[in-house]
């Protein structure tokens, strides 16, 4: 219904979770591949580092209730978005090859930001409508999050592939094999040490470009959160 898109509370919160969905697809899609191909980690360790986000997310969500009851929904969302931006910027300052410890800390911080953004963004819009409309606002919020995830997969896929392809074109190395499967290329016995190092550094650069994109989307998400009124009040729609 139209009132979902004309009310500032719903519009700001839903745009914020679109941003959340976009950002979360950056590490979920490419961090494990980056860790395996560029850092040489195993599949299990790469998955565990990615899963570290699940430590920060539910923990922050559990504490968000007390926080938004004291400082408000919008301020809690702003804190969460700020943590997301800080975590994204933080990854850019971790020198290559990145340590597992720093990657885990960054993932936990990123998950905490998601928890402080997603929970108040949902509960806040549920609190300003009557029971008969909570299904509508909940559904719109979840739809926007999945929309963001779809956009994030497409956007970051394009960023990563374009960055990696451009670096290959500018290289004077004759790298054979399937350029679309970097793990297969790195496993070739004929690949030289110089080519292997170049591919790993190119993957690191491409992954950095993803996190730059996450920072930009995070900043836009802050503006979306600012659309939400400081004090939410139940109003007739």
């Amino acid at each position: 219904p139209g009132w979902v898109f004309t009310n500032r509370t719903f519009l700001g919160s839903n745009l914020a979770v679109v941003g959340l969905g976009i950002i979360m697809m950056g590490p979920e899609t490419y961090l494990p591949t980056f860790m395996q191909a560029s850092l040489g980690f195993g599949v299990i360790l790469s998955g565990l580092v990615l899963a570290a986000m699940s430590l920060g997310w539910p923990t922050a969500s559990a504490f968000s209730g007390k926080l938004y009851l004291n400082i408000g929904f919008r301020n809690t969302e702003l804190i969460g978005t700020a943590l997301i931006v800080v975590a994204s910027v933080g990854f850019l300052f971790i020198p290559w090859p990145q340590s597992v410890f720093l990657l885990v800390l960054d993932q936990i911080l990123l998950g905490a930001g998601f928890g402080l953004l997603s929970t108040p963004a949902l509960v806040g819009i549920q609190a300003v409508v009557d029971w008969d409309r909570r299904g509508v606002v909940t559904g719109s919020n979840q739809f926007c999050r999945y929309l963001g995830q779809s956009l994030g997969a497409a956007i970051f896929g394009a960023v990563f592939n374009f960055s990696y392809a451009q670096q290959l074109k500018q290289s004077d190395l004759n790298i054979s094999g399937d350029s679309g499967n970097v793990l297969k290329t790195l496993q070739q016995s004929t690949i030289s040490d110089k080519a292997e190092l170049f591919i790993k550094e190119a993957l690191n650069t491409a992954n950095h470009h993803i996190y730059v994109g996450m920072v930009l989307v995070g900043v836009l998400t802050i503006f979306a959160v600012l659309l939400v009124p400081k004090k939410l009040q139940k109003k007739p729609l």
Side-chain angles (χ1 to χ4, degrees), residues 40-68:
F41 296 157
V43 177
I44 295 177
L45 181 57
S46 300
L48 289 175
V49 172
L50 181 65
M53 184 191 301
S54 300
L55 297 176
W57 194 324
T59 302
S61 295
F63 285 101
S64 66
K66 291 184 178 180
L67 194 59
Y68 61 64

Side-chain angles (χ1 to χ4, degrees), residues 143-160:
F143 170 79
C144 287
R145 177 169 163 179
Y146 295 138
L147 174 63
Q149 290 178 238
S150 299
L151 292 173
I155 292 171
F156 292 133
V159 169
F160 188 93

Side-chain angles (χ1 to χ4, degrees), residues 9 65 78 98 106 151 168 207 229:
T9 301
L78 286 174
Q98 293 85 348
D106 193 71
L151 292 173
L168 286 183
N207 203 57

Side-chain angles (χ1 to χ4, degrees), residues 146-214:
Y146 295 138
L147 174 63
Q149 290 178 238
S150 299
L151 292 173
I155 292 171
F156 292 133
V159 169
F160 188 93
N161 291 331
F162 179 79
S163 175
Y164 182 70
Q166 287 297 111
Q167 292 178 81
L168 286 183
K169 287 182 181 179
Q170 296 172 3
S171 169
D172 57 354
L173 298 173
N174 182 21
I175 300 177
S176 60
D178 183 6
S179 61
N181 191 334
V182 292
L183 289 173
K184 183 177 179 181
T185 302
L186 289 171
Q187 291 171 356
Q188 289 182 345
S189 59
T190 57
I191 189 172
S192 65
D193 293 339
K194 184 177 181 181
E196 180 180 354
L197 179 62
F198 172 81
I199 291 176
K200 290 182 177 181
E201 291 181 342
L203 291 172
N204 180 65
T205 301
N207 203 57
H208 265 62
H209 290 158
I210 286 181
Y211 277 83
V212 171
M214 290 166 58

Side-chain angles (χ1 to χ4, degrees), residues 73-118:
F73 290 100
R74 189 180 79 165
N75 289 338
T76 305
E77 293 176 39
L78 286 174
I79 293 174
T81 309
L83 288 179
I84 292 172
V85 173
V86 169
S88 301
V89 172
F91 180 89
L92 299 175
F93 285 93
I94 302 176
W96 184 83
Q98 293 85 348
S99 71
V100 175
F101 177 73
L102 292 178
L103 288 175
V104 168
L105 285 181
D106 193 71
Q107 284 291 101
I108 293 175
L109 182 62
L110 187 63
F114 289 151
L116 291 178
L117 173 59
S118 61

